Amino acid sequence: EDKVVQSPLSLVVHEGDTVTLNCSYEVTNFRSLLWYKQEKKAPTFLFMLTSSGIEKKSGRLSSILDKKELFSILNITATQTGDSAVYLCAVEEGTNAGKSTFGDGTTLTVKP
Amino acid sequence: DGGITQSPKYLFRKEGQNVTLSCEQNLNHDAMYWYRQDPGQGLRLIYYSQIVNDFQKGDIAEGYSVSREKKESFPLTVTSAQKNPTAFYLCASSTAGGPRTGELFFGEGSRLTVL
């Protein structure tokens, strides 16, 4: 059974701090790893990672994948209160493209 | 604007009643999905469909049913056989081919409460 584990489960920081969110996975057949941000209801897409060692970056957010260690991290620098959300990691199967297994998420709270 | 519309946003039902959640998309996506989210947990896959008139069970399909008669629509029925139906339900869609099949586009969700 495919498994995705995120850590920490929750995190409280102050504005301006840098945070690192972790995602480890065990899947039979890997196609991609994805990060989503869920603020209230609908998760929104952040990154898709398919190759090891290639950093994806968008503003203050960045992510990298290690396919040997079965691990990904999401970094957020200079955090703002608007970064407060649940961050979800998902792994897409190779045999059923689109079918993804999600972790339980990391709840990030950024205090002013 | 292209997107996914779920309705209703909030729904209450009595035990023993079936209820159908609507999901419509105008993104021209072939694949559609239903996920369930419980408090403090991630998303668990109920059913998915990669083409019209075809669908597959996900990890927690028991007590649920779906249909895919049109590309744009993927309704989910929560039956009385579902033992713990109170939850937040998310519908999503994606392309069915190419490199970005894993990128899911989500609706705003439907919160079902069983009284």
Side-chain angles (χ1 to χ4, degrees):
Chain A
E1 184 181 326
D2 294 348
K3 191 174 175 185
V4 177
V5 178
Q6 292 186 244
S7 64
L9 290 180
S10 64
L11 191 55
V12 180
V13 300
H14 287 93
E15 273 192 316
D17 289 347
T18 293
V19 298
T20 298
L21 310 183
N22 305 301
C23 177
S24 63
Y25 62 92
E26 296 175 22
V27 296
T28 307
N29 195 337
F30 176 91
R31 182 178 172 94
S32 69
L33 184 142
L34 303 106
W35 286 96
Y36 294 86
K37 178 182 182 182
Q38 185 177 26
E39 290 183 80
K40 288 181 182 177
K41 294 182 179 178
T44 54
F45 170 81
L46 294 174
F47 296 111
M48 173 184 280
L49 302 146
T50 56
S51 301
S52 278
I54 298 174
E55 185 185 49
K56 291 285 183 86
K57 199 168 170 66
S58 175
R60 296 176 294 101
L61 278 65
S62 64
S63 184
I64 197 160
L65 174 67
D66 185 333
K67 290 170 75 173
K68 182 179 175 186
E69 299 297 326
L70 309 184
F71 192 84
S72 174
I73 60 171
L74 175 68
N75 277 322
I76 308 175
T77 60
T79 51
Q80 302 171 357
T81 54
D83 294 326
S84 295
V86 176
Y87 290 84
L88 296 166
C89 174
V91 173
E92 182 192 11
E93 276 188 23
T95 47
N96 285 295
K99 184 172 182 279
S100 295
T101 299
F102 282 76
D104 285 344
T106 293
T107 301
L108 173 65
T109 303
V110 182
K111 293 189 171 182
Chain B
D1 286 318
I4 298 182
T5 302
Q6 288 187 240
S7 63
K9 288 186 170 43
Y10 298 93
L11 185 62
F12 298 88
R13 77 149 214 226
K14 293 181 181 178
E15 279 192 26
Q17 290 179 335
N18 291 355
V19 62
T20 297
L21 308 180
S22 169
C23 178
E24 303 277 333
Q25 56 100 357
N26 60 4
L27 298 168
N28 199 33
H29 286 162
D30 287 303
M32 296 186 75
Y33 312 82
W34 274 104
Y35 284 90
R36 169 181 171 139
Q37 187 175 32
D38 292 285
Q41 295 188 32
L43 280 59
R44 290 183 290 166
L45 184 64
I46 304 172
Y47 269 98
Y48 65 105
S49 166
Q50 292 177 318
I51 196 168
V52 174
N53 292 322
D54 190 38
F55 49 83
Q56 287 78 41
K57 292 182 180 180
D59 301 314
I60 56 164
E62 186 176 348
Y64 299 98
S65 67
V66 294
S67 63
R68 187 86 187 277
E69 296 175 2
K70 298 188 300 181
K71 185 176 181 177
E72 302 80 18
S73 178
F74 191 41
L76 173 74
T77 296
V78 184
T79 76
S80 56
Q82 168 48 233
K83 290 185 173 59
N84 186 17
T86 295
F88 186 56
Y89 292 89
L90 282 162
C91 179
S93 70
S94 72
T95 58
R100 301 199 70 85
T101 52
E103 182 180 346
L104 300 178
F105 294 77
F106 286 90
E108 292 289 300
S110 292
R111 189 169 298 279
L112 171 64
T113 303
V114 174
L115 304 172

